[in-house]
């Protein structure tokens, strides 16, 4: 397979993942349209506050004050998450999560590993089973993409 063909397959798959229909994510391609994701434009005041706080025993520093807004829910969920500066202890993370930093800084340190810093515009895949620290600095906002595990049960 040539490099150009592989690139076309990858880009085509990425576009298919980020398309949605007027019914909010059904696989009916006759009405599917691309969805522009602009997480930096969502006002803090329009974000949901019904997330429970992180457990006190998992907070190494900072306060558990955070909000989110779901941008898309279909086979995948795409959301914005914003938090005050905080460092969390994560043990055996329960999902695979793709993260793009929108503002602030994210520092992930796997247990026994070195810190990895992610600045605005950078992305990281945090794999299921991750154990370590999750540090959010500054006015932290991220866009997250996860598999919608509830999709089949609706």
């Amino acid at each position: 397979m040539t490099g150009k063909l592989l690139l076309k397959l990858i880009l085509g798959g990425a576009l298919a993942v980020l398309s949605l229909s007027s019914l909010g994510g059904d696989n009916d391609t006759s009405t599917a349209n691309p969805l522009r994701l602009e997480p930096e434009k969502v006002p803090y005041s329009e974000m949901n506050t019904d997330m429970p706080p992180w457990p006190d025993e998992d907070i190494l520093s900072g306060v558990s004050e955070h909000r989110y807004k779901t941008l898309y829910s279909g086979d995948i969920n795409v959301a914005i998450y914003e938090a005050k500066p905080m460092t969390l202890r994560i043990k055996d993370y329960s999902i695979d999560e793709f993260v793009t930093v929108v503002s602030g800084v994210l520092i992930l340190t796997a247990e026994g590993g070195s810190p990895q810093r992610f600045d605005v515009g950078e992305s990281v895949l945090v794999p299921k089973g991750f154990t370590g620290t999750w540090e959010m600095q500054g006015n932290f906002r991220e866009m997250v993409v996860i598999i919608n595990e509830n999709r089949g049960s609706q």
Side-chain angles (χ1 to χ4, degrees):
M1 181 177 297
T2 69
K4 285 184 181 180
L5 180 57
L6 182 59
L7 181 60
K8 285 181 182 179
L9 289 172
I10 291 169
L11 290 175
L15 289 174
V17 166
L18 292 178
S19 67
L20 53 76
S21 75
S22 60
L23 299 176
D26 291 340
N27 290 328
D28 179 2
T29 57
S30 64
T31 59
N33 294 305
L35 173 64
R36 181 176 301 277
L37 301 173
E38 297 178 307
E40 68 284 352
K41 292 186 177 181
V42 176
Y44 185 73
S45 61
E46 292 181 13
M47 296 177 77
N48 302 316
T49 60
D50 60 348
M51 284 184 81
W54 289 96
D56 287 341
E57 62 270 15
D58 292 340
I59 300 172
L60 299 176
S61 66
V63 294
S64 184
E65 187 176 325
H66 50 204
R67 293 181 177 210
Y68 74 97
K69 181 166 181 96
T70 301
L71 300 176
Y72 174 77
S73 184
D75 290 339
I76 60 171
N77 288 326
V78 180
I80 303 166
Y81 173 83
E82 185 166 320
K84 300 290 184 188
M86 175 175 36
T87 301
L88 299 168
R89 177 184 303 115
I90 304 293
K91 183 169 172 59
D92 196 22
Y93 202 52
S94 62
I95 58 172
D96 290 321
E97 182 173 311
F98 178 83
V99 174
T100 297
V101 177
V102 176
S103 67
V105 173
L106 175 63
I107 299 175
L108 297 173
T109 307
E111 189 173 63
S114 299
Q116 294 184 60
R117 178 186 172 110
F118 301 93
D119 293 302
V120 173
E122 294 184 315
S123 300
V124 59
L125 176 68
V126 182
K128 182 176 182 175
F130 171 79
T131 296
T133 59
W134 190 299
E135 182 179 351
M136 297 164 279
Q137 297 180 343
N139 182 28
F140 183 74
R141 183 179 277 204
E142 65 185 9
M143 184 171 63
V144 298
V145 180
I146 60 173
I147 296 294
N148 185 350
E149 295 178 356
N150 298 319
R151 178 73 173 179
S153 62
Q154 295 177 345

